Amino acid sequence: MNKDIDYQSESISHFDEEYKNYGVDSQRLYPNEALCRFMGRYFFSIEKNVRKQYSILEVGCGSGGNLWMISKEGFNTFGIDGSEEAVKICRNHLEEKWGVSATVDEARFDTLPYKNDVFDAVVDVVSLQHLNLQESEVALKEIYRVLKSGGLFFSYRLSDGSCMFQNSGGEYVDSATVDNVFDKRMPLNNNKQMSFWSPSLTKMMYEKVDFSIESIEKDTRSYNNNCMIVEYLSVIARK
């Protein structure tokens, strides 16, 4: 790893430019399916008249494709993103398209702007995967810090079973992370730094910050007539 490079800032700059160029279309408009399953399993059974008592934070909320669902379901909703442009788009999109609101702030994953023990859940959909192992440990500590005791952390991220991991055309930042997927034949190419975790690495990283893993599930997708496999891990952990 080149310690002189701030990889997280590079990723933020890249996605900020994407949001400037493509606006709300930079991200999917509708919630991630695995996130919906997580919410259904742990939160949708809560009576609607008390849901505002439950605070949920999305790290890397982008233009709000997941956040509007959490807010519309009546939870006390928060989001952060490192991209200033994404935060602007998200605030407008929540109000103009969905008629909901959330507290959305510009912030990095390594310095969450919240007090200790304030959230019932923190969720991440393909955002923390843009951190290398060193950055990830710091971010996980921050997420652990802001969660209430017994609070849940959901993360949906790329696994090392994805075709891009061994065929990125980029340089390895560490054992799990490449600086970019340069090969334009590969899915998700040119999205800057990406980290590909195995279930065993996930367990090791989470245990470092005292998370207790409840489940790790694999979600596999195929591209180019099944010639290319992209695999995700859906991880649920508890503080």
Side-chain angles (χ1 to χ4, degrees):
M1 182 188 301
N2 188 335
K3 294 183 178 179
D4 295 327
I5 299 176
D6 184 343
Y7 292 97
Q8 188 173 172
S9 291
E10 278 196 345
S11 292
I12 290 170
S13 296
H14 168 74
F15 285 105
D16 199 53
E17 194 64 27
E18 290 285 299
Y19 285 112
K20 287 177 182 176
N21 290 336
Y22 303 108
V24 73
D25 293 329
S26 298
Q27 189 190 54
R28 58 189 293 170
L29 297 178
Y30 295 93
N32 172 268
E33 296 90 339
L35 173 62
C36 290
R37 290 195 296 270
F38 165 76
M39 291 295 296
R41 179 177 176 183
Y42 290 97
F43 289 97
F44 287 165
S45 61
I46 297 170
E47 294 291 335
K48 289 191 175 181
N49 62 336
V50 298
R51 287 184 181 180
K52 274 296 180 186
Q53 298 175 25
Y54 290 81
S55 297
I56 299 177
L57 166 68
E58 182 180 15
V59 291
C61 63
S63 54
N66 299 307
L67 213 59
W68 70 261
M69 177 268 292
I70 298 171
S71 181
K72 206 164 187 67
E73 286 294 334
F75 297 97
N76 190 23
T77 307
F78 296 77
I80 65 109
D81 202 282
S83 164
E84 179 183 6
E85 192 66 24
V87 169
K88 292 177 184 176
I89 293 169
C90 182
R91 288 171 178 163
N92 291 336
H93 187 60
L94 292 178
E95 181 179 348
E96 292 178 4
K97 181 171 178 62
W98 299 109
V100 298
S101 63
T103 302
V104 183
D105 294 302
E106 181 185 350
R108 290 169 56 111
F109 302 143
D110 53 8
T111 50
L112 298 180
Y114 309 107
K115 296 180 180 179
N116 298 349
D117 311 309
V118 292
F119 292 106
D120 297 279
V122 176
V123 302
D124 152 55
V125 177
V126 298
S127 292
L128 294 184
Q129 68 184 27
H130 292 287
L131 304 181
N132 57 50
L133 295 180
Q134 185 178 70
E135 294 167 338
S136 292
E137 186 172 350
V138 176
L140 287 171
K141 286 178 179 177
E142 276 290 273
I143 291 167
Y144 188 90
R145 178 184 66 78
V146 302
L147 274 170
K148 296 176 182 177
S149 178
L152 292 162
F153 172 42
F154 167 84
S155 184
Y156 188 78
R157 59 177 305 131
L158 287 164
S159 90
D160 63 347
S162 299
C163 61
M164 306 90 76
F165 184 44
Q166 302 295 337
N167 300 283
S168 69
E171 298 291 331
Y172 284 92
V173 176
D174 54 44
S175 62
T177 313
V178 296
D179 62 350
N180 195 16
V181 176
F182 288 101
D183 189 335
K184 292 183 178 180
R185 297 170 299 175
M186 293 288 114
L188 306 177
N189 65 77
N190 198 33
N191 273 310
K192 296 300 179 182
Q193 177 177 258
M194 284 197 289
S195 202
F196 300 82
W197 288 14
S198 65
S200 59
L201 175 60
T202 302
K203 291 175 183 176
M204 183 189 76
M205 294 294 291
Y206 277 48
E207 286 171 358
K208 278 187 177 183
V209 295
D210 291 331
F211 272 118
S212 174
I213 290 181
E214 300 222 328
S215 64
I216 300 177
E217 298 177 356
K218 291 183 178 180
D219 180 7
T220 303
R221 300 181 185 182
S222 62
Y223 291 78
N224 193 22
N225 293 323
N226 295 319
C227 294
M228 296 180 178
I229 298 299
V230 178
E231 186 176 83
Y232 293 88
L233 299 180
S234 179
V235 186
I236 299 173
R238 191 181 295 272
K239 179 176 177 178

